[in-house]
Amino acid sequence: MATKLLLTFAICRLIVTVGLTLEPTELLRLGLTVDPVDVESASVDFGLMTKVEPLAVLRPSSAEDVAQLVKAAYESSHGFTVSARGHGHSINGQAQTGTGVVVQMSGVRSSGKPSVWGDDMYVDVWGGELWIDVLKSCLEYGLAPKSWTDYLYLSVGGTLSNAGISGQAFHHGPQISNVHELDVVTGKGELMTCSKEQNPELFHAVLGGLGQFGIITRARISLEPAPQRVRWIRVLYSNFSAFTKDQEYLISLHGNQKFDYVEGFVIVDEGLINNWRSSFFSPRNPVKISSLGSNNNGGVLYCLEITKNYHESTAETIDQEIEALLKKLNFIPTSVFTTDLPYVDFLDRVHKAELKLRSKGMWEVPHPWLNLFVPKSKIADFDRGVFKGILGNKTSGPILIYPMNKNKWDDKSSVVTPDEDVFYLVAFLRSALDNGEETQSLKYLTNQNRLILKFCDEDGIKVKQYLPHYKTQSEWKEHYGSKWDWFQRMKMKFDPRHILASGQNIFSPTFLSSSKMASW
């Protein structure tokens, strides 16, 4: 009883601060809390590079709860912001706010299980649902979503607000290309259903919209029959041109005569080849970079990672199909490593690495990640200047590199990509460690990110950031380019008071004075 009284008193103070018109009992019913544990949890994210405490946290039990809170913010006399938070995997405080309420979408009280519609081949899921739970529900029907992220402990609303990419994107497009319908709470507190046919402006704006136009409370996601097993293959290259040529060839294939997943990574540090993301390579027979001809290539190796899905009933033909595909590639002949595993184990492979890192105290550390879309025409220049130049022979985490087909992306969505038919994701997924080694420090890695962006700018490599982070609106305008005017119009239409996702630092909330937003 005493705890409830203290909470009511704290919420009364919040009402006075932000001008809420709702009664304290109504806010308590909605799930609003100022409990220090909840506030502390919402003040940090996976990046661990920013800490911003919200005024309160909402744990909704329905989309209506989210709508009621946002409507209260929209109608508030003083004004406050609302930021949706899923699993808290943002890097630079994108889901944080110091001037309002964080809506904790994942782990809500009664979101219910995903609803799988087997005959229609889609699933309806709560916006805060984690992809691992979506997968488990769909597999009960022998189905699965088509496109994934590498890490499944992310929320549906979170990845759809960015794009959602992995090694299937070359074929199926990003996750946002596989959505039929959304329920969205706009910045006016309106709960709207949208699709390509119904409220299409909102639908396209929200997909990849960085949370600027609405909070996704439900997504209807396209499904396909799930395979039972995966043949997982890694091959190595010492020649970058051969590596990219083979990747681009593989993503050009159609029909059944193709791999189902195409990714790659760069190895500049010998330790990574045996330790990155899984125990794929045998610890009894470690691979040596020096033994694979990389010395004439700046000490850099490139790994192509590919998979072929199959069912037990087709296991007899899988060897011939893979052999026919591999014959057309130009990797180092002695570098083929293969394993077979259940489909769900492959999709959830990064979680196993997470558990290992957690046990060593190496997971909850700062993550100065940098994700870039690089045009195909400039990827060789990027290799020369970054992989063989800026990085040196030390890194502090995996470096992904793989191509995607632009025609699998919907230009009507909010996402911006290079203006070429093929572009690469290059992802520097580093962890900063306080172990005395300068090259693993947060300061060193953050500065290295700046050097990479500076090199791209000076060399005319027109990259686009994925999971973008900028400090000024002029930088955001440059990021969006010709889409900026449309993006701004959609903001004024669906979030005119600039209430939503203020942690992205794109628009200034209208209730803040200009002195508080001097950088704008």
Side-chain angles (χ1 to χ4, degrees), residues 243 247 261-266 276-277 302-306 399-403 425:
F243 171 68
Q247 281 195 317
Y261 163 100
V262 177
E263 282 198 13
F265 58 95
V266 181
W276 177 66
R277 294 179 74 183
Y302 311 93
C303 181
L304 173 63
E305 188 173 37
I306 44 186
I399 304 168
L400 303 183
I401 173 172
Y402 58 91
L425 170 74

Side-chain angles (χ1 to χ4, degrees), residues 68-142:
Q68 192 167 352
L69 175 77
V70 177
K71 185 177 182 181
Y74 178 64
E75 296 176 347
S76 167
S77 57
H78 300 303
F80 65 96
T81 53
V82 178
S83 290
R85 184 180 191 270
H87 198 50
H89 213 262
S90 57
I91 304 301
N92 291 288
Q94 290 96 329
Q96 297 171 9
T97 179
T99 57
V101 178
V102 167
V103 181
Q104 183 56 59
M105 294 293 290
S106 294
V108 301
R109 291 171 294 179
S110 57
S111 62
K113 284 186 63 177
S115 299
V116 180
W117 302 81
D119 292 340
D120 296 312
M121 301 292 280
Y122 62 73
V123 57
D124 285 323
V125 299
W126 169 251
E129 198 75 62
L130 300 186
W131 283 102
I132 182 65
D133 296 317
V134 177
L135 174 62
K136 290 177 180 177
S137 293
C138 293
L139 286 176
E140 293 177 10
Y141 296 80

Side-chain angles (χ1 to χ4, degrees), residues 286-336:
V287 177
K288 295 289 186 181
I289 290 181
S290 57
S291 69
L292 292 167
S294 64
N295 290 336
N296 295 324
N297 194 39
V300 180
L301 279 176
Y302 311 93
C303 181
L304 173 63
E305 188 173 37
I306 44 186
T307 71
K308 187 74 173 172
N309 301 335
Y310 66 97
H311 293 268
E312 298 286 358
S313 59
T314 61
E316 292 182 1
T317 64
I318 195 72
D319 290 335
Q320 296 95 311
E321 292 176 13
I322 290 174
E323 185 179 355
L325 287 166
L326 290 180
K327 278 183 178 179
K328 298 179 180 179
L329 306 181
N330 294 296
F331 52 84
I332 299 170
T334 58
S335 70
V336 182

Side-chain angles (χ1 to χ4, degrees), residues 236-253:
L236 300 175
Y237 294 74
S238 60
N239 183 284
F240 185 72
S241 178
F243 171 68
T244 54
K245 182 179 179 181
D246 281 357
Q247 281 195 317
E248 290 162 17
Y249 165 71
L250 290 176
I251 70 166
S252 73
L253 300 177

Side-chain angles (χ1 to χ4, degrees), residues 228-232 307-310 339-341 343 346:
Q228 294 173 324
R229 296 191 65 80
V230 170
R231 177 73 55 83
W232 185 10
T307 71
K308 187 74 173 172
N309 301 335
Y310 66 97
T339 188
D340 278 74
L341 69 170
Y343 181 61
F346 171 73

